[in-house]
Amino acid sequence: MRTVVLSIAHEPHIQSFITHGPGRAYARRFVAGETLDDGIDAAVRLGQKGARISLDYLGESVSSFADAEAALAVYHTTIERLRRLDVPVSLSVKPSQFGVKLSPERCLALLAEVVADAATVPVGVRLDMEDSSCTDATLWLADQLRQRGLPVGVVLQAALYRTPADLETVLAVGGSVRLCKGAYAEPASIAYPRKADVDAAYERLLERLLVHAASTSAPNPSHLPWAAIATHDEKLIRRALDLIHRLNLRPDAYEFQMLFGVRRDLQEKLIDMGYPLRVYTPWGPSWYPYLSRRLAERPANLIFFVSSLLSESFAKRSNATSRAGVGSARR
Ligand SMILES: Cc1cc2nc3c(=O)[nH]c(=O)nc-3n(C[C@H](O)[C@H](O)[C@H](O)COP(=O)(O)OP(=O)(O)OC[C@H]3O[C@@H](n4cnc5c(N)ncnc54)[C@H](O)[C@@H]3O)c2cc1C
C-alpha cells in the first residue's frame, strides 16, 4: 500500500494537481503553514499547551547547492527568531535538503554551520532519517559533527534490519536517538515488509534504548534527551510507560514525540499526565513529499483525502454548469 501510494504521488501530474489545487487546504492538517511566522505561531501555541516543539523547514533532495544554501539561510533566520522565544524548541533537519546526495562533504560543512549557530541559543538539532539510500551518509554526518564538537541527535527506523546494529554504534558514542517505525517504502531485502514485524522490532529497540538512557546520569551533549519515543501507537506508548516506571527513568532522559496534527488527543493526554512530549512541527511551501508520506502511512487519510478531492471537483463542475445555465438563460 505504502509503495503504491508513494509511487503514484511521485507522478508529476498528480503532484501538480494536488499542490496547485485542493491539496493545500488538506496539507494544513499536518503542516503548520507555509511561512516561518506560521511555524513560530504554531510553536508558541503548542508551547502554551505544555508541549516541546521540533521545527522542521520542509524541503528535501535539493538538486543544487544554491538550494542547500537557501535552506541554510532559512535555518539561520529561524535560529535568530528562537533566541527571542521562550518556548522549548529544537530543530529537525533533512540531510538531503543540505545536499547530502550531491556531496556529503559539502553537506557536512553546511550542517556544521546550522549546528554551531543553534548551539549559541542553545537549541538541539536532530538529523531526520530519510530513505535507505541516505542511512549511511546520515550516520556519517552525525559522527563527523560529533567529532567536531557539534553533536546532533539521529533518527533510527525500526523497519530496517540493520537498525539494532546502528543503535549499538550510536549508543556507544553517546548519541541521542529518536526511534520511529520508518516512513519510506523499502524493499523486503532490507526492511520488514509486515507491519507486525516492524512493531515487534520497535518494541525490542525501545527497551534497549530506554535501558541505555537509564544507565546514564549526565545530560546528552546535543541539548536533546537521550531517547525520543516517536510513535502514536498506543500499545508501544503503554510499553514505553511501563519501562519508564520500571527503570525509574529521569524526565530529562527521554521524551515522547508525535507529529503535528496526528493524535492530538493522545498528545494532550500525555502532557496532562505530566510526561514530556515534543511535537514535530513542519512548515514551509515544499510540503508535498511530507504530505504524501502522511497519506501513505494511513489508508483512512487517503480515503478521506481522495473523497474530499472528488467532492470538491464535483462541486466546482456543478457550479460551472449552473453558471453556464444561468448565462444561457439570460442570453
Ligand atoms: C516525531 C516523529 C518524527 C519522525 N521522524 C521520522 C524520520 O526522521 N524518518 C522516518 O522515516 N519516519 C519518521 N517518522 C514517521 C514514522 O516513521 C512513522 O511513519 C509514523 O510515525 C507512523 O507510525 P506510528 O509509529 O505512529 O505507528 P502506526 O502503527 O503507523 O500508527 C499508530 C496510530 O497512529 C495514528 N497515525 C499514525 N500515522 C498517522 C497519520 N499519518 N495520520 C493520522 N493518524 C496517524 C493512527 O491512529 C494509527 O492507528 C516520525 C514520526 C514521528 C512521530
Side-chain angles (χ1 to χ4, degrees):
M1 167 77 176
R2 179 175 306 215
T3 316
V4 175
V5 175
L6 290 176
S7 61
I8 293 173
H10 271 114
E11 291 291 321
H13 56 282
I14 300 273
Q15 181 163 347
S16 160
F17 171 67
I18 292 175
T19 46
H20 294 106
R24 173 172 269 139
Y26 186 78
R28 285 303 287 257
R29 188 189 148 187
F30 296 107
V31 173
E34 297 200 356
T35 66
L36 176 56
D37 280 342
D38 293 331
I40 298 280
D41 288 350
V44 170
R45 280 197 309 278
L46 288 162
Q48 283 163 349
K49 292 184 180 168
R52 302 170 181 177
I53 297 92
S54 184
L55 273 181
D56 168 44
Y57 171 53
L58 290 163
E60 49 199 84
S61 297
V62 294
S63 51
S64 74
F65 271 94
D67 290 343
E69 274 158 22
L72 173 66
V74 173
Y75 271 96
H76 280 316
T77 311
T78 307
I79 292 165
E80 217 34 58
R81 294 283 296 272
L82 297 184
R83 252 180 247 294
R84 290 172 268 130
L85 206 68
D86 191 20
V87 179
V89 177
S90 65
L91 297 172
S92 282
V93 175
K94 284 195 173 39
S96 76
Q97 186 178 29
F98 283 84
V100 74
K101 293 180 183 174
L102 307 175
S103 157
E105 287 74 18
R106 283 184 73 180
C107 172
L108 173 62
L110 297 181
L111 285 177
E113 283 195 45
V114 176
V115 184
D117 193 11
T120 62
V121 179
V123 158
V125 177
R126 190 179 296 281
L127 303 185
D128 281 345
M129 190 57 86
E130 301 172 77
D131 68 84
S132 58
S133 70
C134 298
T135 313
D136 281 329
T138 302
L139 295 175
W140 176 81
L141 287 167
D143 201 50
Q144 289 293 312
L145 289 164
R146 178 185 62 80
Q147 289 181 35
R148 289 163 196 221
L150 298 168
V152 290
V154 296
V155 181
L156 295 177
Q157 299 156 324
L160 299 185
Y161 304 141
R162 60 177 286 169
T163 295
D166 288 338
L167 180 62
E168 294 309 323
T169 308
V170 174
L171 295 183
V173 295
S176 159
V177 176
R178 172 200 293 157
L179 183 61
C180 70
K181 290 188 185 175
Y184 296 83
E186 302 288 0
S189 53
I190 61 164
Y192 295 105
R194 289 179 54 240
K195 185 175 182 309
D197 292 329
V198 178
D199 294 355
Y202 192 108
E203 189 171 341
R204 290 191 295 275
L205 293 160
L206 175 70
E207 175 153 6
R208 174 70 187 104
L209 178 59
L210 294 190
V211 165
H212 177 83
S215 71
T216 55
S217 54
N220 190 275
S222 63
H223 305 292
L224 298 167
W226 289 91
I229 307 156
T231 182
H232 316 89
D233 184 329
E234 290 193 56
K235 186 168 165 266
L236 288 171
I237 290 171
R238 275 199 299 278
R239 177 74 182 125
L241 290 171
D242 280 352
L243 286 164
I244 287 162
H245 290 289
R246 187 155 61 74
L247 298 165
N248 204 11
L249 206 57
R250 296 184 330 277
D252 62 337
Y254 75 93
E255 65 188 13
F256 288 95
Q257 292 195 347
M258 294 192 201
L259 300 174
F260 183 87
V262 176
R263 290 303 309 266
R264 279 172 285 212
D265 57 329
L266 201 51
Q267 299 183 10
E268 277 167 27
K269 195 167 161 192
L270 284 172
I271 293 173
D272 289 348
M273 288 162 73
Y275 293 103
L277 173 95
R278 192 178 299 272
V279 180
Y280 184 97
T281 307
W283 69 273
S286 302
W287 43 261
Y288 183 75
Y290 181 86
L291 175 68
S292 353
R293 288 193 291 277
R294 302 294 75 84
L295 292 174
E297 68 203 357
R298 194 152 184 257
N301 288 350
L302 193 64
I303 292 164
F304 180 79
F305 179 61
V306 172
S307 59
S308 42
L309 284 189
L310 290 177
S311 57
E312 207 165 300
S313 20
F314 181 72
K316 267 191 195 148
R317 273 175 57 189
S318 55
N319 279 347
T321 316
S322 60
R323 269 200 306 276
V326 169
S328 54
R330 278 190 190 133
R331 275 198 299 271

